[in-house]
Amino acid sequence: MSTPAGPGTPPPPPPYPPTPPRTDPPRWAWWVGGIAIPLVGILVTVAFGGKDSGPVAAPAPGTVDSATQPASPSPSGMPSSKEPEPPAPSDEAPSASASASASASPAADLTAPDGYAKALSTMWGLAPVPCTQHEQQLIDLDDGTSRTEDENNGAVQEPGGAELLYWPDTCTGLGDYQLRALPNTRVGLLRVDAPKSFDSCRAAAGTGFGALALSERNDREDRGFVEGAALCSVTDKGTVAMAVIEHIAGGAVDDVSVSGPLYIWAATP
């Protein structure tokens, strides 16, 4: 029995209401929900989008005709691709190779006429030595061979069938070799623009070839002794020989070397 409150005593506080039962879902339910919700989203996507054929592969480069596609505009509004403009005409002078080709000699016609064998091809050349060695060179155009003998101011001791003589004139230490045809030979110069053929060469052989200082470039050019020309001869054996001047090296202070192909039409019995 509780003791009745006396006068002036406050009444006791009402009792606390009972604690309601816990309604929070257990922790495992959160894991189930985290898996189930995305799974439901996937199923819905499949159910409503199943008719889509899936991602389309990008076309391989070059498989689309660019002529049928509009050009993508650039930031300035102009097409990003356009037809290449033709190159502007050049004001530059023709190259050295082009001018050299224009002045090149015609190709040789090696056709042999009746009474001559098919043309043979070999090499010929002029190869001076220092004049202090007192040597001069003799060249036989029947086969392109050369030999040397003691220099004697341009006099030849034994021609031995040679057609050309290359000798030092003054032996001053500068380029002073000269070239000439030997006496009683038929040698002439076939100019660079003349046809390189049997008939032209045989005709040029009768024009003669006097002494020429090869170290003097102006003299060489005035005479026509330039790359692409040829020395022609009818030898003591009746052979028609065409010694083409293909390469010239040397100048005013160096003795000049010359080389090139030699074409030979030998007379048949």
Side-chain angles (χ1 to χ4, degrees):
M1 296 287 296
S2 61
T3 306
T9 302
Y16 290 100
T19 301
R22 184 180 181 90
T23 60
D24 294 341
R27 182 172 298 179
W28 58 267
W30 292 104
W31 289 97
V32 173
I35 296 174
I37 292 174
L39 182 60
V40 171
I42 294 173
L43 293 176
V44 171
T45 301
V46 173
F48 291 95
K51 296 182 180 180
D52 192 357
S53 59
V56 179
T63 58
V64 179
D65 185 359
S66 59
T68 62
Q69 302 299 320
S72 301
S74 63
S76 62
M78 298 297 293
S80 60
S81 61
K82 57 182 179 180
E83 293 293 330
E85 297 181 359
S90 174
D91 295 332
E92 296 180 358
S95 64
S97 60
S99 60
S101 299
S103 62
S105 63
D109 176 8
L110 303 181
T111 304
D114 293 340
Y116 288 85
K118 181 180 178 180
L120 299 178
S121 176
T122 184
M123 298 293 292
W124 79 288
L126 306 175
V129 299
C131 63
T132 54
Q133 296 187 22
H134 305 289
E135 287 185 2
Q136 58 190 18
Q137 182 183 10
L138 295 98
I139 300 94
D140 189 341
L141 293 180
D142 280 301
D143 53 14
T145 57
S146 67
R147 61 184 176 84
T148 59
E149 67 176 25
D150 290 340
E151 181 269 329
N152 185 21
N153 295 321
V156 177
Q157 301 172 11
E158 181 57 48
E163 283 75 38
L164 296 174
L165 173 66
Y166 195 39
W167 86 101
D169 186 27
T170 61
C171 197
T172 59
L174 300 177
D176 64 353
Y177 266 76
Q178 297 204 32
L179 177 68
R180 69 176 175 90
L182 289 175
N184 302 316
T185 59
R186 293 179 60 188
V187 178
L189 184 69
L190 186 65
R191 300 187 68 87
V192 65
D193 54 352
K196 302 297 185 294
S197 65
F198 175 92
D199 290 336
S200 295
C201 196
R202 183 170 60 177
T207 59
F209 187 77
L212 173 63
L214 294 191
S215 59
E216 299 294 335
R217 181 171 181 174
N218 290 338
D219 292 349
R220 294 200 316 259
E221 293 180 351
D222 289 344
R223 289 274 298 271
F225 193 96
V226 296
E227 293 176 352
L231 287 173
C232 288
S233 176
V234 177
T235 72
D236 59 333
K237 297 178 180 179
T239 297
V240 175
M242 181 167 62
V244 179
I245 305 165
E246 185 176 69
H247 183 69
I248 301 175
V253 297
D254 298 315
D255 290 316
V256 173
S257 297
V258 181
S259 62
L262 173 64
Y263 301 108
I264 303 164
W265 292 270
T268 56

